[in-house]
Amino acid sequence: MRKVTSSDVAARAGVSRTTVSYVLNRSERVNISEETRQRVLAAVDELGYIPNAAAQMLASQRSNGVGLVYPRSHPHLSTHIFLLSAIEGLKSVFDRYGMHLLLDAVDNNSEDAYIDLLAAQRIDGLILIDVPLNSFVSQRLIRNAFPVVTFGYQYPQLSSIDAENWLGAKIAVEHLLDLGHRRIACITNSPHFPGDPNLRLRGYHDALQQRGVPANPDWVVEGCYTPESGYTAMQTLLGLAELPTAVFVGSDVVAFGAMTAVHERGLSIPGDIAFVGFDDVPLARYAVPPLTTVRMPAVEMGIRAGMLLMERVLDGAAPTHITLPTELIVRSSSCAT
Amino acid sequence: MRKVTSSDVAARAGVSRTTVSYVLNRSERVNISEETRQRVLAAVDELGYIPNAAAQMLASQRSNGVGLVYPRSHPHLSTHIFLLSAIEGLKSVFDRYGMHLLLDAVDNNSEDAYIDLLAAQRIDGLILIDVPLNSFVSQRLIRNAFPVVTFGYQYPQLSSIDAENWLGAKIAVEHLLDLGHRRIACITNSPHFPGDPNLRLRGYHDALQQRGVPANPDWVVEGCYTPESGYTAMQTLLGLAELPTAVFVGSDVVAFGAMTAVHERGLSIPGDIAFVGFDDVPLARYAVPPLTTVRMPAVEMGIRAGMLLMERVLDGAAPTHITLPTELIVRSSSCAT
DNA sequence: CTGAAAGCGCTTACAG
DNA sequence: CTGAAAGCGCTTACAG
């Protein structure tokens, strides 16, 4: 049960290990006679030779690994659904290049353990999904010209990918305005913290402002990723003297909780209160009633992010920011059909 | 920006690289004077030394990597929610041992590409979530005594983890029987295929049989992972001359679709038709009405699977099967409260 | 308790 | 077009 090495292949093909390596790795740069090539390939096949990853990494100074970092802490369900779709896109690109994905969850307040992956040279690139970077770490990444693509946050000299959160939210709220609503509340997806751009909330405000509809601070309530938080936030809104007639919720998952609060109160959706969510999670159209929402192009974002990273790993391309369009999906939670 | 190596540490601490390696790796086996230890540790710290992973892998013949394989193909939403919870559990174990998780999605009909990870010695162990193993691959894994833990399928000489699917389903259906239902339908989570034990469906049948309630073949309809499939399956049931008064659905996600079909038909839940799902996905209690279901202990399964794998990697422990309990969560889709 | 040296299995200038 | 040889940065018997 001995492992087969490149020496075995070389012996069988009657060439040196050098030639085996050339045939396997750089068909373009070095000219190998077609006959030798075939002989080597045949030997590889017959022996079932797979190069030892560690030896390759050590000699070539490339790991063919990409670190994927995401937040561990909160029960960030929609982020997680998003995560798997993004991974699907990322993998479709990485598979073509023989890159492997290493998963690393981080706590919000952790020691950035993923940096060790980089220091150990276990990865050639980094994908950060919804994790903020402190300036110490980002400086280090920039200084080393280490390939990075971020989702959800944006940094000056690092590549990033995002969806049109601001525009998507603005269009969602304009949809409600077009339906005649003037008392429109907002439940955010996440609590506000310094440095958080919260583009969805800004889209909400800007839509109201552009249409000259006065904003009511009481009608903006914080959610925190979970349906539970949406339920609580909606109860706050339902306790107000003047009820909103529509609610824009920063994520579908939070909207599920908010809608439950409305049902329990005996009010009807969209008759008494209309709803628009954000994300288009797979269950959104099976909410009661089906939830109008803004679709995030998660798989596409993964694909583009993967390409961005590979261009940087392979060709040293410059850092680039890409923003992908979102799309309003109208269902019956905003207007009876 | 030169990488710091163990030579640098050795020089700084005034010892050999051997000693550096001993201090870092086998505190128990070799006795190093406390003073030397401290000197080495200080040098490591001051230099920010992180051992090169490739060199370590090559020299030690251990990769500290674990492959996590899951099915790519179908839009297996509840599997995916399950997947992330399982990963949470797995990582909590692997983090303690410095093991890294490599993600690999496979197509149902693919070439088992993950086997190359093993051949390249990039991983020391394998976790298979809901992917069946053909006998060629399983024989190879067994022959090499390669550490493997499977979820969802079980093989003679490989470790596996599972939940009480049969018992959970049986208890769910007994819950409906206890409520007085006799016309109980079942929508499965997945289409039947050869070799699929489908324990949830068996639990359904066995509950009926033990209570002497006749089974009606028309009342068993196949779902296929998605809410869409549940919607379609429910429409089939609603087209029958004699309607069931309760439905046991093999997964919550499928149940969401089925419940939507019932609402559209203008029937009430649980008044006209009661529902019980399976999985307890995070949105289950925000279904309308909140969905009675059977909870899968996903995180716990991940933890136990991780421990099973590590015992095998580290101590060569024998293959073991573990089954974890499920729990009925009663909400109002089965009985008005 | 500590060090010199071989070896892990590749890649890649450098010669020829 | 092909090969001999150095080197990647660790670990680990083996001596002492």
Side-chain angles (χ1 to χ4, degrees):
Chain A
M1 199 59 62
R2 229 183 98 269
K3 287 269 96 185
V4 10
T5 72
S6 68
S7 302
D8 300 324
V9 176
R12 177 158 195 130
V15 298
S16 71
R17 288 158 63 211
T18 305
T19 303
V20 172
S21 178
Y22 281 164
V23 168
L24 259 30
N25 298 325
R26 355 193 242 162
S27 352
E28 314 90 27
R29 313 263 292 276
V30 179
N31 284 344
I32 304 272
S33 73
E34 187 54 25
E35 195 250 312
T36 307
R37 248 180 74 77
Q38 291 309 333
R39 219 153 12 104
V40 170
L41 258 18
V44 164
D45 214 57
E46 289 157 21
L47 264 29
Y49 171 62
I50 308 275
N52 177 292
Q56 254 178 339
M57 285 164 68
L58 187 57
S60 69
Q61 303 285 50
R62 280 259 330 260
S63 69
N64 290 325
V66 175
L68 177 65
V69 184
Y70 63 95
R72 181 210 318 274
S73 49
H74 34 233
H76 215 134
L77 179 60
S78 47
T79 292
H80 282 179
I81 293 174
F82 176 85
L83 185 63
L84 281 163
S85 303
I87 287 177
E88 186 184 326
L90 288 166
K91 279 198 68 64
S92 73
V93 175
F94 292 153
D95 282 353
R96 282 210 299 276
Y97 293 97
M99 302 293 278
H100 301 279
L101 215 46
L102 302 223
L103 228 51
D104 209 353
V106 294
D107 295 313
N108 267 355
N109 50 358
S110 82
E111 286 293 311
D112 306 312
Y114 58 91
I115 289 301
D116 289 356
L117 289 174
L118 192 156
Q121 300 175 65
R122 204 179 265 273
I123 56 176
D124 298 325
L126 204 49
I127 304 276
L128 296 170
I129 300 197
D130 282 331
V131 319
L133 230 40
N134 67 52
S135 63
F136 176 77
V137 172
S138 66
Q139 284 313 311
R140 178 161 167 191
L141 294 171
I142 291 167
R143 191 158 13 92
N144 291 31
F146 194 79
V148 179
V149 179
T150 62
F151 285 65
Y153 293 88
Q154 196 167 318
Y155 302 90
Q157 297 172 62
L158 301 177
S159 295
S160 69
I161 184 100
D162 216 334
E164 284 175 335
N165 283 293
W166 176 80
L167 188 58
K170 185 158 166 287
I171 286 175
V173 174
E174 285 170 353
H175 166 67
L176 291 169
L177 288 164
D178 290 342
L179 290 166
H181 292 283
R182 287 300 173 269
R183 307 210 304 268
I184 303 175
C186 178
I187 298 176
T188 66
N189 180 37
S190 56
H192 179 72
F193 62 91
D196 173 19
N198 210 336
L199 295 173
R200 296 180 186 180
L201 178 58
R202 289 245 290 269
Y204 160 82
H205 277 129
D206 292 347
L208 293 183
Q209 193 187 321
Q210 282 188 18
R211 296 286 184 95
V213 174
N216 179 342
D218 285 347
W219 286 346
V220 176
V221 187
E222 283 186 356
C224 184
Y225 311 111
T226 62
E228 286 71 19
S229 74
Y231 183 88
T232 307
M234 192 67 220
Q235 285 189 314
T236 303
L237 289 173
L238 290 172
L240 296 175
E242 188 182 28
L243 292 188
T245 64
V247 184
F248 167 62
V249 189
S251 91
D252 291 349
V253 169
V254 174
F256 264 84
M259 289 168 76
T260 291
V262 170
H263 285 129
E264 286 185 5
R265 177 69 168 261
L267 297 175
S268 88
I269 302 171
D272 296 310
I273 301 185
F275 272 89
V276 179
F278 208 112
D279 289 337
D280 197 27
V281 300
L283 287 177
R285 63 173 290 205
Y286 293 93
V288 179
L291 183 59
T292 293
T293 188
V294 181
R295 174 176 296 159
M296 291 282 281
V299 175
E300 178 70 15
M301 287 171 75
I303 292 174
R304 300 297 296 273
M307 288 170 47
L308 236 35
L309 193 78
M310 288 313 301
E311 287 164 8
R312 208 155 152 61
V313 169
L314 264 25
D315 316 324
T320 311
H321 300 289
I322 293 184
T323 302
L324 258 31
T326 50
E327 181 191 1
L328 181 70
I329 311 287
V330 178
R331 301 200 181 98
S332 40
S333 72
S334 59
C335 44
T337 47
Chain B
M1 199 59 64
R2 226 184 99 271
K3 286 270 94 182
V4 9
T5 71
S6 69
S7 301
D8 301 324
V9 176
R12 177 156 193 132
V15 298
S16 69
R17 290 158 61 211
T18 305
T19 302
V20 173
S21 177
Y22 282 164
V23 169
L24 260 29
N25 298 325
R26 351 193 246 162
S27 352
E28 315 90 26
R29 313 263 293 275
V30 178
N31 284 344
I32 304 273
S33 75
E34 188 54 25
E35 195 250 312
T36 307
R37 249 180 74 77
Q38 292 306 334
R39 222 158 4 109
V40 170
L41 259 16
V44 165
D45 215 55
E46 289 158 20
L47 262 30
Y49 170 62
I50 308 276
N52 177 292
Q56 254 178 340
M57 284 165 68
L58 187 58
S60 69
Q61 303 285 52
R62 280 257 330 256
S63 68
N64 290 324
V66 175
L68 177 65
V69 183
Y70 62 97
R72 180 209 318 274
S73 47
H74 34 233
H76 216 133
L77 178 60
S78 47
T79 293
H80 282 180
I81 293 173
F82 175 85
L83 185 62
L84 281 162
S85 303
I87 287 176
E88 187 184 327
L90 287 165
K91 278 198 69 65
S92 72
V93 174
F94 292 153
D95 282 353
R96 282 209 300 276
Y97 293 96
M99 301 293 278
H100 300 280
L101 215 45
L102 304 223
L103 228 51
D104 208 353
V106 293
D107 296 313
N108 267 354
N109 49 358
S110 82
E111 286 293 311
D112 305 312
Y114 59 90
I115 289 302
D116 289 356
L117 290 175
L118 192 154
Q121 300 174 64
R122 204 179 264 274
I123 56 177
D124 298 326
L126 204 49
I127 303 276
L128 296 170
I129 300 196
D130 281 333
V131 318
L133 229 42
N134 67 52
S135 62
F136 176 77
V137 171
S138 66
Q139 284 313 311
R140 178 160 167 190
L141 294 170
I142 291 167
R143 193 158 11 93
N144 292 29
F146 194 79
V148 179
V149 180
T150 63
F151 285 65
Y153 294 88
Q154 196 167 317
Y155 303 90
Q157 297 174 64
L158 301 177
S159 294
S160 69
I161 185 99
D162 216 333
E164 283 175 337
N165 283 294
W166 175 79
L167 187 58
K170 185 159 165 286
I171 287 175
V173 174
E174 285 169 354
H175 166 67
L176 292 169
L177 289 164
D178 289 343
L179 290 166
H181 293 282
R182 288 299 174 268
R183 306 211 304 267
I184 303 175
C186 178
I187 298 177
T188 67
N189 180 38
S190 56
H192 179 72
F193 62 90
D196 172 19
N198 212 335
L199 295 173
R200 297 181 185 180
L201 178 57
R202 289 243 291 267
Y204 161 81
H205 277 129
D206 292 347
L208 293 184
Q209 192 187 322
Q210 283 188 17
R211 296 286 183 97
V213 174
N216 179 342
D218 286 346
W219 287 346
V220 176
V221 186
E222 283 186 355
C224 184
Y225 311 112
T226 62
E228 286 72 17
S229 74
Y231 183 88
T232 306
M234 193 66 220
Q235 284 188 315
T236 302
L237 289 174
L238 290 171
L240 296 174
E242 189 182 28
L243 293 188
T245 63
V247 184
F248 167 62
V249 188
S251 93
D252 291 349
V253 169
V254 174
F256 264 85
M259 288 168 77
T260 291
V262 171
H263 286 129
E264 286 186 5
R265 177 69 169 262
L267 297 175
S268 87
I269 302 171
D272 296 310
I273 302 185
F275 271 88
V276 179
F278 209 112
D279 289 337
D280 197 27
V281 299
L283 287 177
R285 62 173 291 203
Y286 293 93
V288 180
L291 183 60
T292 294
T293 187
V294 181
R295 175 176 295 159
M296 290 282 281
V299 175
E300 178 70 16
M301 287 171 74
I303 292 173
R304 300 297 296 272
M307 289 168 47
L308 236 35
L309 193 78
M310 288 313 301
E311 286 164 8
R312 208 155 152 60
V313 168
L314 263 27
D315 314 324
T320 311
H321 301 288
I322 293 185
T323 302
L324 258 30
T326 50
E327 182 191 1
L328 181 70
I329 311 288
V330 178
R331 301 199 181 99
S332 41
S333 72
S334 60
C335 44
T337 47

